[in-house]
Amino acid sequence: MSLPPPRPVTATAPTLLDDPSDLSALHAKGADSDELFASFAAWAQQGGTVLYPAQEEALIELISGANVVLATPTGSGKSLVATGALYAALAAGRRSYYTAPIKALVSEKFFALCEVFGAANVGMLTGDAAVNAAAPIITCTAEVLANIALREGDQADIGLVVMDEFHFYGDPDRGWAWQVPLLELPNARFLLMSATLGDVTFLREDLTRRTGRPTALVAGTERPVPLYHYYATTPMHETIGDLLDTRQAPIYVVHFTQASALERAQALMSVNLSSKTEKAAIAENIGRFRFSSAFGSTLSRLVRHGIGVHHAGMLPKYRRLVEQLAQAGLLKVICGTDTLGVGINVPIRTVIFSALSKYDGTRTRLLNAREFHQIAGRAGRAGYDTAGTVVVQAPDHEVANLKQFAKVADDPKKRRKLVRRKIPEGMVPWSESTMTRLIEAVPEPLTSNMRVSTAMMLDVVARTGGDDAGDPCLAMQRLLTDNHEPRKRQLQHIREAVGIARSLLQVGVLERVAEPGGGRSKYRLTVDLPHDFALNQPLSTFALTAVELLDPAAETFARDVVSVIEATLDDPRQILAAQLNKARGEAVAQMKADGVEYDERIELLDEVSYPRPLAELLGHAFAVYLHTNPWAADARLSPKSVVREMWERAFTFREFVSVYGLTRSEGAVLRYLSDAFKALRSGVPATAHTEELTDIVAWLGELVRQVDSSLLDEWEQLTSDDQPAQAVVSVPARPLTGNERAFTAMIRNALFRRVELLARRRWSDLGDLDADAGWTAERWADAGNAYFAEHADVGTGADARGPALLIFDRRPDVWRVRQILDDPAGDRDWGFEVEVDLDASDEQGAAVLRLVNAGRMD
């Protein structure tokens, strides 16, 4: 593989707007389109950016009032066009929404636009957090804008919609969110942007029909930073070494599994990639960043060596750290999956494809043209590089065969005897011709992926203005019949919508209201729903029904409510697989101890499952529910115990990840816990909110925030008088002790965990918890056996968890807490005492306890 010569990198990106106040002056004097274009172009030029012809064309169309489909290559300045469109809308007094597919990209755009327009003019909505929500420019996920469009329809205060990465329109799971705004916001002007759109003739015609505006296509422009493609037949480590030697870093090595990305990064630790000066700069940039989880210690070692890892299984804060270190030019190599293909602004000079095939969840297949161009397009960024390099790594068997052939190339006899390595079974191979075909291929046409959900129905019914106000049936009918779906799928969606409406009527969320004079009945939401009520899961209405089957007097009622909600959530595949493996391992160990024969053990293992609380009750209830709600047959009820197990066993996030070996899937664990928190907070009827359930919700919300604090923390720094208006790597989480209810719940759980282990005489487990405080398994055994010499057992019921057996001494820096044991005689003279270090708890984001004493209490 021959490589191009080294290239210089521009140090800083241009500043586009020095004085945001000038916008109000333009608005006040009613600047026309020519003045707006000229003023924006002048600002850009003052910052060192001269508009490309395609940028000029797109901006002129937008400022003149047209919709624009901007289908130019990556690095051609689409973001600058978007900024110009936002600028024109702001000058005209119109509100704008900038959508992106992932929260990380929303965050990046938020901070970038704050620098251009000032923090007061920019807000952010992600579904989890709202920042400056009344601002004239809003960055948000596509789903947030779609929900606004459903709720407000043509009355939405939206003058401009910028949809970045618009090729997500064709995503099977999320494409609906890119389509709904096109259907429901006829008064808005649209800028649809992507480097890989394919034929958009239908979209242009449809958008013009709906909005009454012409829709211009700006496409096919030459890439400002050209790409050079190479096919590498050297081993991967040699390919990377050659690129580093010829100064082609930063290098992004694309893998299609998270495990292979991490393995590659760890293998590179044997190479000294960074100088002492560079490593010192990395350490300085990292600062006080909290590597709080199990994977954090691994990532800390890697990034300090100049190596990044980036994939969806990581916590968002870790991905953001890698992105910011890369933006600062401090990482030589990043090993990741194709998560960087969605537009995160990381300056990558070289992209290496480790393969041209991937497993897509159903089968292993070759990449399609859109996937290839989307990933390859990350190489070479304007303002950083004069060219980008794309390397496709040959399959291992091809590399090995070429290496063997080179050894015997001069010996005909040996060449004839050479045994070539075969293609591994199950592998979909690729070659240099595969690469050539993908380079020349045009991205596939986008396909519609509309869908119907309970949340969509509720949003439309709650609509208060517009042509369809007061008649949700008419609004839903128009939404389901005038979309981009083929007629067959439209009919399927209509049947689903009818089923959802019937179930909402059945559980009392909707009610039918007869029109005076015998007109057609209409539907409306019932008035007793809380303001934050949400039904975001397909089986949320079933959950409302199932909660009513539980016994509020049962000591497990709150935890049973959690189990009902967990049964309606999507399965966290990695977690359930880990729970199943652990359950089977423990079952095998027990069966071996009991002398069960091998064949019988194998047969019995089929009956072992991960924890499934209330499985029988919920299964029967769901069968009954389906009789009156047949639409729900496609949904999947799945009892499981993740949140419940963490609460009952007093697990911290780190402990749960460690126990189940989920280090590479921390991001998936956090997403599940976040979804569970939102469902528990907004999808449980008020009558079920007992004190314990309120404690669980407070604990879970704080646990999620401490693991990966929300962007609200960054916003607080951004708007602080003492902080510069920019995103920072090292943002401290909110003090854990500031949420006293959640912090107290964590302490109570940690103490009750010890009570349960003591009741089961698990001295070794107790020793694992408290050995650092000098309480080894032997010492716990001595104290426990002394207790059991007087009492037959330890109570672990509701009374044992109650506040009556806990004594808190809250001091400024250290809390002292006594847990009294629930002995059968009712003497209450045994227990244990801990000290809680408040500062250490804030530092670690979890309750830090030190056992002081255990035994008979005075």
Side-chain angles (χ1 to χ4, degrees), residues 838-850:
L838 304 189
D839 290 339
S841 298
D842 285 337
E843 180 67 25
Q844 295 188 24
V848 177
L849 285 66
R850 187 179 72 85

Side-chain angles (χ1 to χ4, degrees), residues 730-804:
S730 184
V731 178
R734 181 180 66 184
L736 172 62
T737 55
N739 186 341
E740 187 167 322
R741 180 162 199 155
F743 185 51
T744 300
M746 290 180 183
I747 295 169
R748 286 169 51 193
N749 263 7
L751 294 177
F752 187 72
R753 182 180 178 186
R754 288 164 170 80
V755 171
E756 287 192 306
L757 291 173
L758 177 63
R760 296 160 63 188
R761 309 187 192 210
R762 300 283 290 271
W763 316 127
S764 178
D765 291 338
L766 286 165
D768 290 342
L769 288 174
D770 298 310
D772 289 344
W775 282 81
T776 61
E778 293 75 15
R779 192 173 178 188
W780 262 112
D782 291 341
N785 288 329
Y787 170 87
F788 286 115
E790 293 188 21
H791 302 288
D793 55 45
V794 177
T796 57
D799 291 342
R801 295 182 73 104

Side-chain angles (χ1 to χ4, degrees), residues 4 73 326 556 588 615 781 809 851:
T556 61
V588 167
D809 180 9
L851 187 66

Side-chain angles (χ1 to χ4, degrees), residues 527-583:
V527 295
D528 58 345
L529 293 180
H531 74 280
D532 60 349
F533 188 77
L535 298 175
N536 296 320
Q537 302 297 326
L539 293 179
S540 293
T541 50
F542 167 74
L544 293 178
T545 302
V547 166
E548 295 178 0
L549 301 177
L550 304 177
D551 180 7
E555 67 176 60
T556 61
F557 175 72
R559 284 163 279 163
D560 290 343
V561 172
V562 171
S563 293
V564 169
I565 295 298
E566 287 202 79
T568 66
L569 299 178
D570 291 338
D571 282 349
R573 207 171 27 84
Q574 301 95 325
I575 302 176
L576 299 187
Q579 287 181 323
L580 179 60
N581 287 339
K582 188 171 181 63

